[in-house]
Amino acid sequence: MTKVTLRNLTAHKLRLALTALSVVLGVAMVAGTFIFTDSMSKQFDDLFAGIGKNVAVDVRAKQAVQSGSDEQVSSRPPVPAALADELRKVEGVKDVVGNVGGYAAVIGKNGKTVATLGPPQMGMNWVNGGDYDIQSGRAPQGPSEVAIDEATMKKAGYGLGDRARILLQGPTQTMTVVGVIKTGNMMGATVTAFDTATAQRLLLKPGYFNDIQLVSSGVGETVLRDRVARTLPGDVEAITGSALRDELKDDIQQLLSFLQVLLLVFGLIAVFVGAFIIFNTFSMLVAQRTRELALLRAIGASRRQVTRAVMGEALGVGIVGSTIGLLAGVGLAAGLQALMSDGSEGSTGLTFTVTPVIWSYAVGVTITLISAYFPSRRAAKIAPVAAMRDDVALPQRSLRRRAGIGSALTVLGAGLVVAGIADAGPEPLLLLGIGVGMVFIGVAVLAPILSKPVIRVLGGVFPRLFGTPGRLARENALRNPRRTAATASALMIGLALVSAINVVNSSAVASIGRSVDRQFGADYMIISETQGGFSPDAIKAVGQAPGVDQATAMYVGNINVNGKRASVLSGDMAGITEGAKLKMLSGSTDLGADGLLVDEDTAKSNDYKVGSTLPAQFTDGARQQLRVAGIYEKNDVIGSRLLSEQAYLAHTAKPLAFMGMVQVATPGTASKQAVEGALRDYPNLQVQDRSEVKESFQKQLDQVVVFFTILLAMSIIIAAVGVINTLALSVVERTREIGLLRAVGVSRRQLRRMIRLESVVIAVFGALLGIGIGVALGAAVQNGLADQGLDILKIPVVTLVVYVVLGGVIGMLAALWPAWRAGRMDVLKAIATE
């Protein structure tokens, strides 16, 4: 049977190559993901091995409040520079280095920032003998000098002695470039260095360091840490240099793990789609070789041997597809690495481990074998007597059983989707993923039942428009509903996910737009292109511009309330009340030094009343009793808590605004230009009116949609390959039929049109299935997130119609080669085919 398997593999090279392509594309994403993340992890390990390599102990303030994703400034307060003198006295300390760090980017000669978002834009104080060396020039000295890393210098177009503009969270500084820093591979990050006093003034706070690092004179880092810890005040801690480097690595590993999971999800979706193609291909191959398999049974082959023969073919396809997919994954990883590094020099190349190899073959071979198992079982059930029949067809089970199984899977999957969206259970995302997968399988099982009425409707106009070819195309699509459904189901999955994303996006845009209209009362909003917020001095400058009635800086951060982290917003209450259309339900907006406002949902869930007192702890470690001064109507602009500006500023070392709201006497072009003129020293800030705010949100959401659509494109491409494969096999299967059609007068053009129309109707059916599931899934997500601001369901009808048309185009393109091949058949040979 091994010889039979090898003969069949070599006899059907083209068919099995198309099947292997489905494996290749899915495995490429899986392999590429592992190679890329392994390579990035290795590069970061090499990078961190050089950062703080001589540090034995790091001294820093204790973190009283855990950081949050919505926090604009570090939750760890700075330490006084005077502490460094005390640390020098500790036995075993050889050297003491105070570090200052913060945001600093470089504005190039073209007037554009080298980078604003993405890789870190690091400002720091220059320390001789620190993590980096001067490649040329000298170290910065004085308030007007700066050193910049070599990659950023090239991008910005600067040289030694040039005057460079440095973008900070405060006003932009123009400084002389006196040194070029050698950093090696920073993967797109920029490094800008100042002398210590200048760095403290620009990035942190005069007289303070972010942390103080100690170099040992030979004492072990654990021993030195313990000695240092005994001399520190209660709000400062000491950790070993190893622990510091591990923390840095852990932060990066968390990001890489998230990226790995994200890419793997889409890779597995592509593999899942490929499984439908493999199943369909082997089902058709088994059906076409019914007599051959029956002859094997007739000459003594057992059912097990027949099953092994078909599974052997699947194993060959899986191995070849996985091998090519692994090689393609190398190219994909290289592309991702180039994209992430943003062209920076010093890349260490790709890192190869055994992990992508194992996963590539495990995924590719396993999915192929599972997909081919049921066709192989059907092959084994062919009776030997079938070899004596001229026309042999595999027995088909009743569709009633399919209806029951498909309905059960769909309903159960929908229940898991609802549970996942409702955040029920310990792993809601896992529930959601399993539920979506079960819905796809359930609908795929039901698809043969759905295909008949839908294709009759879709193909109903074909006879009128295209005559006999149109009628034949419709009947061919109806002839084998299982095959039609399996082909359409592959296309269904990708378009379902894309459609769901578009429904959620449209609903989010509509919900945000209504929130802005209802709750945004300011004439203009000021936002930053940079990370971490901006100096409130910018808002003060706007407040002095002609025609400006009020300019309010809004701060965001985290505090502990009753021992739990809570996000808070702060700022001038008069400006916030007007700019955010704050509607009070009870209490007052007079917060004083200890006031806190909460929205109605927070008050209800925590049983807060006006006058309630809450124990709070701030990021600087200070504790204070906060007073609930009032309760307001839910407001998406503000969030759930408003903290007294006086309290926020008193406990924040370097307050940074995350947004500004501006009220003017007469809104219009002149007033906007006046506000923009006041911000000429802050090129990273944008001024937006209400319509521009909504447009900005829409652009951000659209970028997310494009990103996910690109990741899902692989599954759609695999589905298109599946349509090609199905039609190609169908042409082979119907060789004699095609010859007879040609013999009775059907022209080559009509024959090709028939195959193209058949492909189009199958593809459109798959697109309609996918869009239907996508709309239902998107509506479920919107409903589950209605209480979190996604309170409008909007179906993007035009976009979905475009997807239906896209499905038809995919079907048309997929049919080109099979139709061309059918048209070239020799009539007499085709008729003589058995």
Side-chain angles (χ1 to χ4, degrees):
M1 296 305 291
T2 302
K3 292 182 179 179
V4 172
T5 299
L6 295 175
R7 183 188 63 80
N8 286 332
L9 282 171
T10 55
H12 306 96
K13 300 184 188 70
L14 184 59
R15 307 178 202 175
L16 296 179
L18 288 172
T19 307
L21 184 59
S22 302
V23 181
V24 168
L25 296 176
V27 169
M29 286 196 69
V30 174
T33 297
F34 279 110
I35 295 172
F36 168 68
T37 52
D38 286 346
S39 301
M40 294 296 288
S41 179
K42 175 64 165 56
Q43 290 187 32
F44 278 115
D45 286 344
D46 293 342
L47 177 63
F48 290 134
I51 294 179
K53 58 184 177 182
N54 296 322
V55 176
V57 175
D58 185 67
V59 176
R60 61 191 186 182
K62 291 181 179 178
Q63 189 171 23
V65 181
Q66 292 297 314
S67 301
S69 59
D70 52 356
E71 194 168 11
Q72 302 298 309
V73 296
S74 173
S75 60
R76 196 182 295 278
V79 294
L83 183 61
D85 295 332
E86 298 298 324
L87 294 173
R88 287 189 177 92
K89 301 175 184 178
V90 177
E91 183 183 356
V93 173
K94 179 181 179 181
D95 195 10
V96 177
V97 177
N99 292 319
V100 180
Y103 178 87
V106 178
I107 300 175
K109 285 189 173 182
N110 59 3
K112 297 182 180 179
T113 307
V114 172
T116 52
L117 300 175
Q121 313 306 309
M122 300 183 294
M124 55 179 284
N125 64 317
W126 181 260
V127 178
N128 291 322
D131 297 327
Y132 308 113
D133 297 321
I134 292 291
Q135 179 172 302
S136 59
R138 60 175 175 81
Q141 299 171 1
S144 62
E145 295 184 352
V146 66
I148 304 173
D149 72 274
E150 72 275 21
T152 303
M153 288 277 283
K154 290 180 182 179
K155 293 177 183 178
Y158 291 131
L160 286 174
D162 288 345
R163 298 283 286 173
R165 296 177 68 199
I166 309 300
L167 178 64
L168 304 162
Q169 289 170 321
T172 300
Q173 304 287 316
T174 301
M175 312 180 83
T176 302
V177 180
V178 298
V180 180
I181 304 172
K182 183 179 181 180
T183 58
N185 176 33
M186 292 293 290
M187 290 167 284
T190 66
V191 176
T192 308
F194 317 90
D195 67 22
T196 297
T198 303
Q200 289 172 327
R201 176 174 57 85
L202 296 177
L203 304 176
L204 187 59
K205 186 178 180 180
Y208 283 85
F209 292 123
N210 290 98
D211 66 329
I212 300 173
Q213 296 180 341
L214 310 181
V215 179
S216 173
S217 61
V219 179
E221 60 178 19
T222 303
V223 174
L224 186 59
R225 178 201 61 191
D226 294 339
R227 290 178 183 175
V228 168
R230 287 193 289 269
T231 68
L232 297 177
D235 58 348
V236 180
E237 65 180 4
I239 63 171
T240 63
S242 299
L244 175 65
R245 289 183 286 273
D246 288 342
E247 283 185 5
L248 294 173
K249 291 180 183 179
D250 288 343
D251 291 340
I252 296 299
Q253 286 300 329
Q254 288 180 11
L255 175 62
L256 291 178
S257 295
F258 171 78
L259 185 61
Q260 184 181 72
V261 171
L262 178 66
L263 294 175
L264 280 177
V265 165
F266 288 93
L268 293 176
I269 289 172
V271 172
F272 185 55
V273 172
F276 284 88
I277 308 305
I278 298 165
F279 173 82
N280 207 22
T281 300
F282 277 92
S283 295
M284 295 181 72
L285 288 175
V286 167
Q288 291 172 14
R289 288 156 47 196
T290 301
R291 173 174 284 188
E292 173 190 330
L293 295 172
L295 284 171
L296 289 175
R297 294 277 287 115
I299 61 175
S302 66
R303 289 187 174 185
R304 180 174 297 179
Q305 288 176 312
V306 171
T307 300
R308 286 178 181 172
V310 178
M311 292 295 286
E313 293 180 42
L315 178 62
V317 170
I319 292 174
V320 172
S322 298
T323 302
I324 299 175
L326 178 60
L327 297 176
V330 175
L332 179 61
L336 288 172
Q337 188 182 61
L339 182 65
M340 291 291 289
S341 65
D342 192 28
S344 62
E345 299 179 359
S347 174
T348 57
L350 297 177
T351 298
F352 297 93
T353 67
V354 72
T355 302
V357 177
I358 293 175
W359 274 100
S360 295
Y361 285 101
V363 170
V365 174
T366 301
I367 290 297
T368 306
L369 291 176
I370 292 175
S371 302
Y373 176 73
F374 290 104
S376 69
R377 292 282 293 173
R378 292 176 64 195
K381 294 179 180 179
I382 298 173
V385 71
M388 297 182 290
R389 298 176 57 185
D390 291 331
D391 185 18
V392 183
L394 287 175
Q396 301 287 345
R397 291 183 177 179
S398 170
L399 293 179
R400 292 182 180 178
R401 185 177 180 182
R402 273 183 171 266
I405 295 174
S407 299
L409 286 172
T410 304
V411 171
L412 181 57
L416 292 177
V417 168
V418 172
I421 294 173
D423 204 16
E427 296 290 343
L429 288 179
L430 181 61
L431 284 178
L432 180 62
I434 294 174
V436 171
M438 291 181 68
V439 168
F440 284 145
I441 295 174
V443 173
V445 173
L446 291 172
I449 302 171
L450 301 173
S451 66
K452 289 187 176 181
V454 174
I455 288 179
R456 282 198 178 96
V457 173
L458 293 176
V461 297
F462 283 2
R464 300 177 191 174
L465 297 177
F466 306 105
T468 299
R471 183 182 304 107
L472 290 173
R474 183 187 63 185
E475 296 306 316
N476 285 336
L478 290 170
R479 180 187 301 181
N480 193 327
R482 290 175 172 81
R483 180 187 305 166
T484 297
T487 306
S489 295
L491 186 60
M492 166 192 76
I493 296 170
L495 287 179
L497 295 173
V498 172
S499 300
I501 292 169
N502 275 272
V503 170
V504 174
N505 174 64
S506 296
S507 301
V509 169
S511 300
I512 291 172
R514 186 169 71 174
S515 294
V516 170
D517 290 335
R518 287 182 175 182
Q519 300 173 347
F520 188 71
D523 295 311
Y524 302 111
M525 175 187 288
I526 298 174
I527 60 173
S528 175
E529 296 178 344
T530 59
Q531 301 169 330
F534 57 93
S535 171
D537 291 341
I539 305 301
K540 293 179 182 178
V542 170
Q544 297 173 3
V548 174
D549 291 337
Q550 190 175 49
T552 305
M554 300 177 67
Y555 310 95
V556 66
N558 293 293
I559 63 174
N560 287 334
V561 176
N562 287 320
K564 296 182 180 179
R565 185 176 67 86
S567 300
V568 293
L569 184 139
S570 186
D572 177 69
M573 282 306 304
I576 292 177
T577 300
E578 185 175 359
K581 295 183 179 180
L582 183 68
K583 183 178 180 180
M584 296 297 297
L585 300 178
S586 60
S588 167
T589 58
D590 183 11
L591 301 184
D594 63 348
L596 178 72
L597 299 182
V598 296
D599 71 359
E600 52 188 325
D601 291 345
T602 303
K604 184 178 180 180
S605 60
N606 293 278
D607 197 26
Y608 293 158
K609 302 290 189 300
V610 174
S612 298
T613 57
L614 312 173
Q617 184 179 27
F618 295 87
T619 54
D620 62 355
R623 299 178 183 272
Q624 181 180 347
Q625 291 289 324
L626 294 180
R627 168 181 52 88
V628 177
I631 298 172
Y632 57 90
E633 189 178 83
K634 186 177 179 180
N635 190 298
D636 295 326
V637 176
I638 295 174
S640 58
R641 296 173 182 84
L642 265 172
L643 177 66
S644 158
E645 184 180 29
Q646 185 176 343
Y648 179 85
L649 296 177
H651 299 287
T652 305
K654 187 176 179 64
L656 296 173
F658 88 100
M659 185 176 73
M661 294 193 295
V662 182
Q663 301 283 358
V664 298
T666 307
T669 304
S671 63
K672 185 177 181 182
Q673 289 177 346
V675 173
E676 290 174 337
L679 296 173
R680 59 183 175 273
D681 290 332
Y682 302 86
N684 57 316
L685 301 184
Q686 293 183 347
V687 181
Q688 298 179 343
D689 59 24
R690 186 178 289 107
S691 63
E692 290 171 329
V693 169
K694 291 191 285 189
E695 184 180 349
S696 176
F697 277 116
Q698 182 169 355
K699 286 182 179 178
Q700 294 176 31
L701 292 171
D702 287 345
Q703 289 174 355
V704 175
V705 172
V706 170
F707 173 72
F708 284 115
T709 302
I710 291 173
L711 291 178
L712 287 167
M714 189 72 77
S715 63
I716 297 175
I717 292 172
I718 293 174
V721 171
V723 177
I724 297 173
N725 212 9
T726 299
L727 291 174
L729 290 171
S730 180
V731 167
V732 173
E733 185 179 78
R734 299 185 336 232
T735 298
R736 187 174 186 181
E737 175 187 320
I738 290 171
L740 290 172
L741 288 173
R742 295 278 288 114
V744 297
V746 175
S747 67
R748 290 182 176 178
R749 177 178 296 180
Q750 289 176 316
L751 184 63
R752 291 168 181 160
R753 179 177 296 170
M754 176 192 76
I755 293 175
R756 287 196 298 267
L757 291 174
E758 179 184 351
S759 177
V760 167
V761 76
I762 292 174
V764 171
F765 171 56
L768 290 175
L769 276 181
I771 290 170
I773 295 174
V775 170
L777 181 59
V781 172
Q782 180 275 323
N783 183 69
L785 300 178
D787 59 345
Q788 299 182 33
L790 198 67
D791 53 354
I792 296 178
L793 174 62
K794 184 177 180 181
I795 309 298
V797 177
V798 175
T799 301
L800 298 182
V801 170
V802 170
Y803 288 156
V804 174
V805 174
L806 176 63
V809 171
I810 290 173
M812 181 69 72
L813 295 176
L816 292 178
W817 177 69
W820 173 82
R821 187 182 181 193
R824 286 176 54 87
M825 282 186 181
D826 182 275
V827 177
L828 295 178
K829 289 182 179 179
I831 294 174
T833 301
E834 295 184 0

